[in-house]
Amino acid sequence: MRRMLLFLFCGITSLGCFTESIDSWETPIPDIGSHGSPQMADITGDGFVDVILGTGQNEFQPSKHGIVALDGLSGDTLWTHPCIDQMYGSAVYLDINSDATLDALMVGRDKQLYAIDGKTGKDLWVYELYSNQYDPLGLARFNFYNPLRLEDLDADGVEDFMIINGGNVNAIPGDTINRYPGVLLITSGANGDVIVADTMPDGKESYMTPAMYRDGNGACHILFGTGGESVTGTLYTVPFDSLLGGSIQSAQSIYSINNGHGFIAPPVVSDFTNDGYDDFVILDHGGEVILFDGQNRDQRWKVVLNDIELNAQATPGYFNGDGTLDLFVNGAKGTWPKNTGSYQFFIDGVTGEIIEEFNVGCAGFASAVSIPSSENTELSAVLLPVNEYDCRRNNTFYTTTWLQYFSIDTSYQLMATLEAGKNISSTPWVGDIDFDNKMDIVYVVNANVRLIQEFLGMKIKRLETDIIWTPEMFWDSYLGPNTDSRFDFHKSSVNE
């Protein structure tokens, strides 16, 4: 059943109206905006988590404020970091300089990859192009996408990470000459040196943040995908040891598509079948949602969402009460840049059946986070940033944005978050900043300008709610609780 519930007020539910408390704050920043998603860590040493967010001006423009760090309690600016182009990545935290304070890996356009001191905002190291040749190291010259933290592979005392580079911004749709293969790299966390690197097996571009899973024998495998918004791609898996050996050319093709779309959204790895083994859900940009069995990589089910583009990662949660994980998916109707609306789907994790469908807002590309359901505290609901404007893109000066609550039973607007502005692709963070057992929401509002993708000022906001927060059960931010696309909370393990 499809529902169009654009303006149901929050007063109808037991969650109240998410009234702002004295602990809420708002930090305006002129001139810039954000495609990034806030991630939290204690970088001040006060015991409370703080905010780091990738920002920037319009594409191809440098900024003095490419990365912003804010105090989680007050919203005061701790430091800013310059950029040469937009920084759209989400912070991945690790202690690089062994000072007992977490530092941040941050990524963006034009081969920007920085390791930043969490305390000071200063560079610990900056990625530099290894080669001007069009070999694997020389091809890592385009955009970086979110890193995946690994163990310390080079025995220097600092965790290392895996990362994708790809996507030539100068290649227009239909251009087959200026599209170069994406590169999968393992890089030293301590100094940014490349440990190993190889190009995509099919020679195509790649935008998908990789993930890891274990098969039925316990062996560790990498998931990665190729293709893009207008380039057909393939989903691959390869043993982690193969990449460590320097090559992914033997990767197994799990799924190929021929609909003019590839794989952009990160996967979700969890035990969807309750057999004690990893499974994984993949979204292709052309509207397919597929569950694969991690033991043997067999396809368990596939949902085809006709005329829907999928840019955002799916959100796992216990939505329908059957004790197994389900999914929430946010997609855009039509073809960018002529999308004509946003559609949201709850999908049964066992069968692939669409449980409920909504049509709320115009185009937006953020992922949702999961929160406690107002109807049943044993279940999950989701929060999703929504934009409302003329979908013909003639009227984006007058965009309004808010956070929308979705469950399989209802959907409503959080009135406390409604304002003029837009949120293009920033996933909120939910959690408890000050340990008062109340759920906080940290989210982004960009100022309205002529085009939906342009920036001219923004606000980073914290809203404290009266919802009791139980962190282990929820998908709290972009890429999940550990920024690794994994969800390891399972009700069955709690009940045993």
Side-chain angles (χ1 to χ4, degrees), residues 119-344:
K119 287 182 179 179
T120 66
K122 303 298 184 183
D123 290 330
L124 296 173
W125 54 258
V126 179
Y127 172 82
E128 296 183 3
L129 186 64
Y130 272 67
S131 167
N132 290 320
Q133 304 300 311
Y134 285 79
D135 55 14
L137 290 177
L139 283 166
R141 65 179 63 194
F142 299 110
N143 302 329
F144 278 109
Y145 303 95
N146 268 79
L148 176 64
R149 195 169 51 242
L150 304 172
E151 62 185 29
D152 178 14
L153 299 171
D154 54 5
D156 59 9
V158 178
E159 294 172 297
D160 302 312
F161 61 95
M162 179 165 47
I163 194 166
I164 284 277
N165 182 285
N168 181 10
V169 69
N170 296 312
I172 62 174
D175 183 351
T176 59
I177 302 299
N178 295 301
R179 295 189 181 274
Y180 298 98
V183 182
L184 182 61
L185 310 93
I186 293 178
T187 302
S188 169
N191 54 32
D193 287 349
V194 175
I195 297 173
V196 292
D198 199 14
T199 53
M200 297 295 103
D202 59 3
K204 293 185 177 181
E205 59 200 58
S206 181
Y207 303 91
M208 189 182 107
T209 295
M212 303 271 277
Y213 71 97
R214 292 189 180 275
D215 66 15
N217 297 315
C220 193
H221 294 258
I222 307 167
L223 281 173
F224 62 96
T226 64
E229 294 170 320
S230 60
V231 176
T232 291
T234 297
L235 175 69
Y236 289 100
T237 183
V238 70
F240 182 67
D241 288 343
S242 294
L243 177 58
L244 278 180
S247 176
I248 58 173
Q249 300 309 305
S250 63
Q252 175 189 353
S253 169
I254 299 178
Y255 192 73
S256 294
I257 48 181
N258 194 27
N259 60 7
H261 299 270
F263 297 90
I264 295 176
V268 175
V269 179
S270 192
D271 180 10
F272 286 91
T273 57
N274 275 4
D275 62 359
Y277 296 97
D278 285 344
D279 307 302
F280 48 90
V281 171
I282 297 293
L283 283 64
D284 83 58
H285 188 261
E288 296 178 323
V289 185
I290 310 169
L291 174 67
F292 291 91
D293 190 313
Q295 290 191 71
N296 49 31
R297 295 172 284 279
D298 287 346
Q299 183 177 306
R300 299 297 295 259
W301 52 253
K302 178 171 72 172
V303 179
V304 179
L305 306 174
N306 293 317
D307 199 28
I308 297 290
E309 291 185 340
L310 299 175
N311 294 276
Q313 187 177 35
T315 304
Y318 292 95
F319 300 127
N320 69 356
D322 67 357
T324 58
L325 277 174
D326 307 302
L327 292 164
F328 177 87
V329 174
N330 178 45
K333 187 77 170 178
T335 303
W336 174 265
K338 298 181 179 180
N339 299 116
T340 57
S342 288
Y343 284 73
Q344 298 82 26

Side-chain angles (χ1 to χ4, degrees), residues 2 22 55 81 85-86 100 118 204 215 218 274 285 344-345 361 367 374 439 448 468 494:
R2 180 166 65 90
I22 58 173
T55 59
H81 185 285
D85 205 335
Q86 292 173 338
K204 293 185 177 181
D215 66 15
N274 275 4
H285 188 261
Q344 298 82 26
F345 306 88
S367 302
S374 64
M439 186 182 80
N448 285 328
I468 302 301
V494 173

